[in-house]
Each structure stands twice: as C-alpha cells, then as structure tokens.
Amino acid sequence: MELCGVIGIGQTKHDTARTDVSIAGLVREAALRALEDAGLTWSDIEAVVLGKAPDMFEGMMMPELYLADALGAVGKPLLRVHTAGSVGGSTAVVAAHHVQSGRFKRVLTVAYEKQSESNAMWALAPKIPFQQPIVAGAGGYFAPHIREYIRRSGAPSDIGIKVALKDRLNALKNPFAHLRMEGITLEQVAASPVLWDPIRFLECCPSSDGACAMVLASEDVATRNEPAWVLGTAVRSEPLGMAGRDEINPRAGRDCAEAVYAQAGIKDPRNDIDCVEMYVPFSWYEPMWLENLGFTEIGTGWRLTEDGVTALDGDLPVNMSGGVLSSNPIGASGMLRFAEAALQVRGRAGEHQVDGARIGLGHAYGGGSQFFAMWVVSGEKP
Amino acid sequence: MRDVAVVSFVQAPSVRRDPARNEVEILMPVVSAALEQSGIPLRDIGFTVSGSCDYLAGQPFAFVMGLDAIGAWPPIEESHVEMDGAWALYEAWIRLQEGDIDSALIYCFGKSSMGELPEVMSMQLDPYYLTPLWPDAISMAALQARAMLDFGSHDEREMASVAARSRRDAASNPNAHLSGDFDVDVLLKEPYLVSPLRKHDCPPISDGAAAIVLVAGDKAREICERPAWIRGIDHRVEAHQLGSRDLTVSSSTALAAEQAGGRGGAFDVVELHAPFTHQELILLDALSLSNGARVNPSGGALGANPMMAAGLIRIGEAAQRIMDGSAARALAHATSGPCLQQNLVCVLEGE
C-alpha cells in the first residue's frame, strides 16, 4: 500500500443560507482553498472524488454531472460517493484509497451540502408504502437512543448541556463555523426548549450550507508539503433493521475503530491519540461515541465530559472546531471532521489548535448509527 | 497493477415493470446467486460496494435497504456510489489494488418504472439553467443524434441497423425484454418519436439488478476455470452543458479507452452501454477498434436498460463470454449523464 498525505485543506464559511453562491460556487470555494493550501492548480489534479448526502436534499439527481466543470474534473475520473451521514468521511477514505492503490498521485476530494435549497427534515421523511416512516427527521430518530444511553449509564442529566456549551465555545475560535454564540452560558442551553426529550434546541446541530475539500497526495508529492500522513482508514456498515442490534453502542463503530487503530499502530487510544474530531449531531453523542471508540469503559464516557477531559485544554480534546453542533452541511460534515484532525496534526488549526497534537482521529457516522468512517492522521511520517 | 478478475456475474431478468417487488426484493436473489457462484460467503468478502439512485425509487437512502437485504452482519467494509454499478466496480478494483484484501462484491439495482423516467432524468441537469426547462432524456439524445446526422459521420439507416441487430440479438438473451426481428427498410418508414429519433432508436424502460464478484490473483483461478481478468479500467467525464462539448464525438470514451489500453485494439466481443442507437455509432468511432468485433451480442441497452445496472451488466456480459470460453478478449463500456457525458471503459481477457 502506498503512503498518502493530506497536503491541502479548504472549507467554506458555513451558514444557514449561502445565497451569495450557487452549488457550484460553494464547492469551488472549498476546492480552491484546498488547492491554494497545497500549492497546486486544477491541472495538477488527476482525479476527483465527490461526496454528499441524499440527492433529495437539494432536489438534484447525481449532481456530480453538473459539478464536473466547477470541480475541474473535465477529462478526469470523477466518482460520487454516498453513504448517508458518514459520507464526508467515507468520501475521504475512497479518495485515500485512490492514492494508496498507487494509481494516482494527486486527488481532490470534495464534500458539500446546500441545505437551504430544500428542507432536509422532510426530504428524510417521505411516506413509502410498507416501510416504517422516519417522519420527524434525525432528532426524533436518535432521541430514544439517547434516553437508553442515559438509562444504561446512569449519566447525570446535564451532560448533554455541558457538551453543547463546550462545542459552542470552541466554535467561537473557528472563523468558518456557522453558529457563533458569543457569551453563551450553561443556563441558556438548559433553558432552551426540549425538541425531542431529552434533546434541547441548543443541543442540536444546525442546518447549514457548506463544503469541505482536501488534496491527498502520494508520498513523493506529499513530503514537500508538511502533510498530515494518513496512518489508517476504515469504514464499516451494518443493517438498519436487525433485531438485537445495539444502536447505542453499535458493533460497526467498534469494529471500525478496532480496524483503524490496528492500521495506525494504536494500542491505547486514550493515551496514543492527542485529539478527536467526531460526528456529534446531538450533544449526548459525545459520551456515547467516546465509549464506542474505546476511549473509556462502557458507561463512563459521560465522566470524561464532566471532568473536562474533552475540553480544548483537556487531556483528550474533542471537537475542537465546534463540531457538527456548530456547522452541519450534512454531506460535508464527515469530511470536516477528517479535515479538522488533519489541520490539528499539521499545527494549522489557528485559535483552536491543540498544543503539540501529533496524532488525530477523524470520525463520522450515518444512517441509523450503522455507517462508520474513520481515519487516523499524524504530523510525523510513519 | 494487481491482477483482478471477474469470477461471478448474475443479473435479474429485466422487465418493463416489476410491480410486485421493491428494489430490494429484485436485488436479493441476484446477490445470493452471485455469492453462491463465487463460493465466497458474504462474511469472507473483503469489500462490498453498490450503485443505485434515490431518484428512481423516489426515496432518500434507497441503498440502506440494500444493505439490510444482503445481511451485513457481522458488520462489513462497505461503500456506495450514487452512480451505475460499473463505477462501483471501479471503486472495488481500486480497493483491491492495495493488496490487503482479495475479494469484492459489487451490486446495483434500479426500478425505473416507479416514475416517468425521461422526465425524472431532467433532475440530473444543471439545476439553475437546464432543469427548469425540463428537457427530457429522449429530447436531449435527439439533439445529439441531430448533431451527428448534420455532421455527416453516420445516417439514419445505420441507426436503424443498430436497432435491428440489437433487437435480434436480444431475442436470444433471456435477461432482455425488448426483442424482435425487424427489417431496416420497414423501421425507416416509422414516424419520428422526437426527430430524428424513432421509437426503435430508444431504449426500453426497465427494472433490474446485477451483481459481480471480483477476486484477485491465484485465488481467482481456484474459484473459476476461466476468470475474466481486468487488464485495464478507466473512466472520464466531460463538460455538463451540451453547448460546451462536441456531441458528435465522445472524447471521454476515447480517453478512457486509451488509458485502459483498449483504444484501437482487437476484441472478440464489445459490450457498449449505448441507450440510443446513434450513441453506439459515436462510441465505436471513439474506440477506433481494429477488427470486426462482435458488438453487443446481449442486445445491449436497446434490449434492456435497467438504470444504475445497465453499465455493470455490460461488464458482466463481456466477462461472461470470457468465463464461458467463447471470447478471449473483450471490451466493456458504461455511460452516465446526458448525451454520453461520463464514460467508463474496461478491458477484459482470459488467461
């Protein structure tokens, strides 16, 4: 397997509605920033891998066709990945495989969502004959899982509030973040209305327009660009409707973490990994995924949050960028996690930089907690 | 390049309308049969990847149901492209190049009968400047055919000949559903559907599914007496706006064929994903093949055109002829987008 390094990272300013750009303009904004970061131009790119969540979010079927021009892909291979909410992460993994296979030296990967073009919640909730309707969107789907986590772990009821406050404060250090809530307090989060018990309004991700792009390169090219080296990638999927499946601590997530740690040579994730950017669309998923990813014993993830371990200046910073809670262009949300991990180990995260971050984990999940994508990156060449 | 071969190919018999079964029910027997033919159970498959399109079923996440159907437990390494299964196969081939896994399952499905397909296809166009005009797929193809005829590289008789040959060949393909013995002179007397396309120039609307198992190296020889080795595979895309490309040629097919080592080559069989008769003529020009290869013995997309599967079926049909010993070298092609915007070429050989 060839070595792969991240040599260019770009993202848009995320916002409720980027009415200043078309969909093409949005992806181009992120892609141009990634190219500039890599010191490359469109003609240097050999292949493009595009990801986004369901086509119905913008009401466009197979948008890679229309975006071929904007992505500089004309005359090149162009692949479109779609793996539900994990898609931004799995798109980066597919792009990494393009380099690791030895077939390509410079690959551009881009993920986006322009949610203001339609209504994601209702795009997710059509009534299909003979199928269980999701009806109320993602929050309604995941709230019972969170209640079950609280029941199993005995976590205090304010853990979700603490996660929300931490991520919203981190977002103030990230100029690209969508939600920037100056002076936000625990009391404000606690007082916000409950949308789906126990999820409060301020414990939810927003609906964003945004895009993320990265340039991945082979060893000979990457060495010149202070890359984030890809130490491991993994994806795992399991069925949605399977009796007995544990949706609180899904096996696909555990297997995926095990696989990516094995590749990256990580024996003790809590000590070996310096920072984690994970997919937390509703605040309670921070403690849930900390357990699923093996950072702590089952039932104790909430203690890491409570003790401040996951704070930006904590022992294991989580969601330094402000996370999905602060910016959520769904198709790009996974790639933004992967990109933030890479930014951190390159030492280029600006105000939300974790001091001395050497090894970072990027994590994404999707569907009914059934699709997982992860990568481990390092500033040091393996 | 690591040697990777098709060792198993199964397709659902395409039909105009499969009202009783949903996409998953069409798909399940196909995946089961493809795995059985390979002798590899799902838990031993290294990588699984599928191709489908939500806009055919009219629901988001259509592929999630596919994952349930194949029984992805324990959890599997899996991915999905919102593209024809041929591109899923490309992703699998890339993944197999790395050497840590030896097998991949590729599957795809499409139930085109759920909506008004020519109009549904308008949704894949530029959402600001094209989709609002609702140009349907047949009208866009007609623009291309008109450009080709005006350029003078081919005529309507050649187009009708493609239709007659394809429908005749489809008669001996149990998986095709539009076939018959047609006389070219009679076909040419038919009225235009959308000028210059007559009904016979257009593909049927089909429901279907297909699956392929890829295996690398010697393991392929253990499983299959005559594996169909992938000697080259490449795909390229062109500009989206019809006005910004020359519709009378297929530059992306020529480039992909060049990269895959197929351009100008000699082949026993060529399977082209040409939904419209004039597109076969344009594709053959782009490929510049050196001998009289048998083109689309399956009847091609003119005999059955299940969206999202018709491209992978071309690779499967080509591979099948190598596996059954009737061909030594084959070229398969898949297309996506309006007027051949995106094209994939795969070169297959026996030992």
Side-chain angles (χ1 to χ4, degrees):
Chain A
M1 190 188 292
E2 301 291 324
L3 263 182
C4 171
V6 184
I7 63 168
I9 299 170
Q11 61 184 292
T12 59
K13 172 74 178 91
H14 311 292
D15 209 342
T16 306
R18 284 290 307 270
T19 52
D20 58 324
V21 285
S22 63
I23 294 171
L26 190 75
V27 296
R28 213 171 155 85
E29 185 175 312
L32 278 167
R33 284 178 181 155
L35 285 172
E36 189 186 0
D37 185 20
L40 300 178
T41 61
W42 295 106
S43 58
D44 296 317
I45 298 298
E46 297 164 3
V48 181
V49 183
L50 176 70
K52 72 172 260 34
D55 288 1
M56 284 177 190
F57 281 4
E58 288 85 2
M60 273 189 73
M61 175 182 179
M62 300 162 79
E64 70 276 6
L65 297 164
Y66 146 67
L67 291 172
D69 302 82
L71 292 169
V74 171
K76 297 170 188 172
L78 170 62
L79 202 70
R80 156 75 193 293
V81 180
H82 175 20
T83 61
S86 66
V87 65
S90 36
T91 301
V93 171
V94 172
H97 285 310
H98 273 65
V99 174
Q100 289 168 327
S101 70
R103 304 295 298 176
F104 299 93
K105 287 187 178 298
R106 297 173 202 84
V107 174
L108 173 69
T109 184
V110 183
Y112 79 94
E113 208 72 67
K114 203 161 189 302
Q115 288 189 239
S116 68
E117 305 264 336
S118 92
N119 183 321
M121 191 161 109
W122 298 113
L124 282 173
K127 186 157 168 35
I128 307 293
F130 308 111
Q131 272 181 35
Q132 189 183 354
I134 304 173
V135 182
Y141 185 87
F142 290 118
H145 300 185
I146 293 171
R147 289 202 296 275
E148 173 63 4
Y149 171 75
I150 294 171
R151 189 192 67 78
R152 286 187 195 179
S153 65
S157 62
D158 64 348
I159 294 298
I161 299 168
K162 287 180 169 155
V163 172
L165 181 72
K166 168 184 71 80
D167 285 5
R168 302 208 180 290
L169 291 175
N170 286 352
L172 293 172
K173 300 176 189 296
N174 178 2
F176 298 105
H178 170 183
L179 296 182
R180 300 170 58 83
M181 309 174 119
E182 304 278 353
I184 188 169
T185 63
L186 276 178
E187 292 68 32
Q188 279 173 355
V189 180
S192 65
V194 171
L195 299 186
W196 306 273
D197 181 30
I199 306 172
R200 291 170 178 79
F201 177 68
L202 288 177
E203 293 176 274
C204 295
C205 54
S207 193
S208 314
D209 286 0
C212 181
M214 292 190 285
V215 178
L216 307 186
S218 58
E219 184 178 0
D220 52 334
V221 177
T223 303
R224 302 193 291 268
N225 286 67
E226 294 177 15
W229 294 103
V230 178
L231 301 188
T233 69
V235 292
R236 287 293 183 278
S237 309
E238 67 182 41
L240 177 68
M242 190 186 84
R245 182 169 85 89
D246 187 350
E247 295 175 76
I248 318 306
N249 181 22
R251 178 162 170 192
R254 283 181 280 138
D255 288 3
C256 192
E258 197 177 298
V260 81
Y261 295 159
Q263 278 175 53
I266 285 168
K267 307 269 188 300
D268 175 2
R270 175 73 197 280
N271 285 312
D272 295 348
I273 292 174
D274 300 313
C275 57
V276 183
E277 185 77 17
M278 60 166 76
Y279 203 106
V280 176
F282 303 100
S283 58
W284 279 94
Y285 273 89
E286 174 174 299
M288 290 166 73
W289 292 145
L290 282 168
E291 295 173 22
N292 190 245
L293 287 165
F295 286 107
T296 183
E297 295 296 313
I298 298 302
T300 65
W302 59 271
R303 290 184 193 277
L304 300 190
T305 302
E306 188 169 59
D307 295 346
V309 172
T310 60
L312 193 53
D313 59 357
D315 188 41
L316 182 71
V318 173
N319 291 342
M320 301 70 70
S321 72
V324 181
L325 285 183
S326 305
S327 312
N328 185 36
I330 297 179
S333 288
M335 190 174 287
L336 287 164
R337 313 280 72 75
F338 279 47
E340 173 69 17
L343 273 179
Q344 289 285 343
V345 301
R346 294 176 88 196
R348 297 185 185 191
E351 273 192 74
H352 51 103
Q353 177 69 45
V354 173
D355 278 345
R358 280 186 324 111
I359 295 189
L361 172 69
H363 160 280
Y365 89 101
S369 299
Q370 62 184 133
F371 296 100
F372 292 85
M374 300 172 196
W375 80 4
V376 172
V377 285
S378 170
E380 290 165 22
K381 195 170 172 179
Chain B
M1 190 198 303
R2 190 181 188 209
D3 285 342
V4 171
V6 176
V7 300
S8 158
F9 165 59
V10 175
Q11 61 182 309
S14 286
V15 293
R16 170 64 186 86
R17 187 173 280 111
D18 195 336
R21 298 190 298 171
N22 65 23
E23 290 181 319
V24 165
E25 289 165 328
I26 298 171
L27 175 69
M28 268 181 78
V30 173
V31 169
S32 303
L35 286 173
E36 195 179 312
Q37 195 177 311
S38 76
I40 307 175
L42 183 66
R43 66 175 177 277
D44 292 337
I45 291 282
F47 181 57
T48 300
V49 57
S50 60
S52 69
C53 175
D54 286 352
Y55 263 95
L56 297 179
Q59 69 175 111
F61 301 120
F63 63 94
V64 177
M65 305 305 156
L67 196 61
D68 280 27
I70 66 165
W73 190 264
I76 58 173
E77 181 177 341
E78 186 261 353
S79 192
H80 171 261
V81 294
E82 193 86 354
M83 306 176 84
D84 186 284
W87 277 267
L89 181 134
Y90 179 83
E91 187 183 326
W93 179 80
I94 284 279
R95 181 67 189 85
L96 285 167
Q97 292 303 309
E98 291 166 46
D100 58 322
I101 56 168
D102 298 322
S103 59
L105 166 69
I106 299 102
Y107 66 84
C108 52
F109 52 94
K111 205 174 164 189
S112 315
S113 67
M114 297 286 276
E116 295 299 322
L117 185 64
E119 281 75 32
V120 170
M121 299 299 284
S122 303
M123 299 297 292
Q124 68 172 204
L125 306 173
D126 181 323
Y128 306 103
Y129 294 104
L130 280 177
T131 300
L133 303 173
W134 289 97
D136 67 275
I138 296 172
S139 299
M140 305 238 340
L143 280 174
Q144 183 180 35
R146 173 58 65 203
M148 182 193 80
L149 294 171
D150 287 354
F151 180 63
S153 50
H154 300 283
D155 58 27
E156 291 182 34
R157 176 165 289 273
E158 288 175 84
M159 289 164 62
S161 301
V162 169
R165 192 205 68 232
S166 299
R167 268 46 191 260
R168 199 176 304 125
D169 285 336
S172 52
N173 177 3
N175 299 306
H177 65 100
L178 185 58
S179 62
D181 210 354
F182 298 103
D183 180 77
V184 172
D185 289 315
V186 176
L187 288 178
L188 285 172
K189 291 196 179 84
E190 293 287 317
Y192 290 121
L193 181 66
V194 180
S195 174
L197 297 179
R198 298 178 172 86
K199 203 173 176 193
H200 64 251
D201 292 309
C202 304
I205 292 171
S206 317
D207 293 349
I212 277 179
V213 175
L214 290 181
V215 174
D218 286 339
K219 201 162 170 227
R221 294 184 183 91
E222 290 164 23
I223 288 169
C224 183
E225 200 179 331
R226 276 184 290 268
W229 297 102
I230 296 175
R231 295 304 184 203
I233 182 167
D234 194 84
H235 63 99
R236 302 282 158 160
V237 70
E238 292 178 44
H240 180 64
Q241 291 284 350
L242 300 190
S244 38
R245 54 184 156 115
D246 183 349
L247 296 178
T248 66
V249 296
S250 181
S251 60
S252 55
T253 300
L255 186 54
E258 192 77 50
Q259 296 295 319
R263 189 146 190 259
F267 295 92
D268 301 312
V269 169
V270 175
E271 278 283 343
L272 302 177
H273 183 195
F276 296 88
T277 54
H278 68 277
Q279 293 179 337
E280 178 183 303
L281 302 169
I282 291 172
L283 290 169
L284 283 172
D285 287 347
L287 292 169
S288 309
L289 303 180
S290 69
N291 69 339
R294 183 84 170 82
V295 176
N296 286 351
S298 67
L302 290 166
N305 188 35
M307 294 295 298
M308 317 317 289
L312 188 78
I313 289 172
R314 303 282 73 73
I315 298 176
E317 288 282 356
Q320 193 62 53
R321 280 169 173 79
I322 288 170
M323 291 191 283
D324 69 17
S326 62
R329 193 157 190 259
L331 182 146
H333 158 270
T335 195
S336 176
C339 300
L340 303 173
Q341 189 193 342
Q342 190 174 22
N343 295 281
L344 178 146
V345 172
C346 180
V347 172
L348 297 150
E349 282 178 4
E351 290 292 351

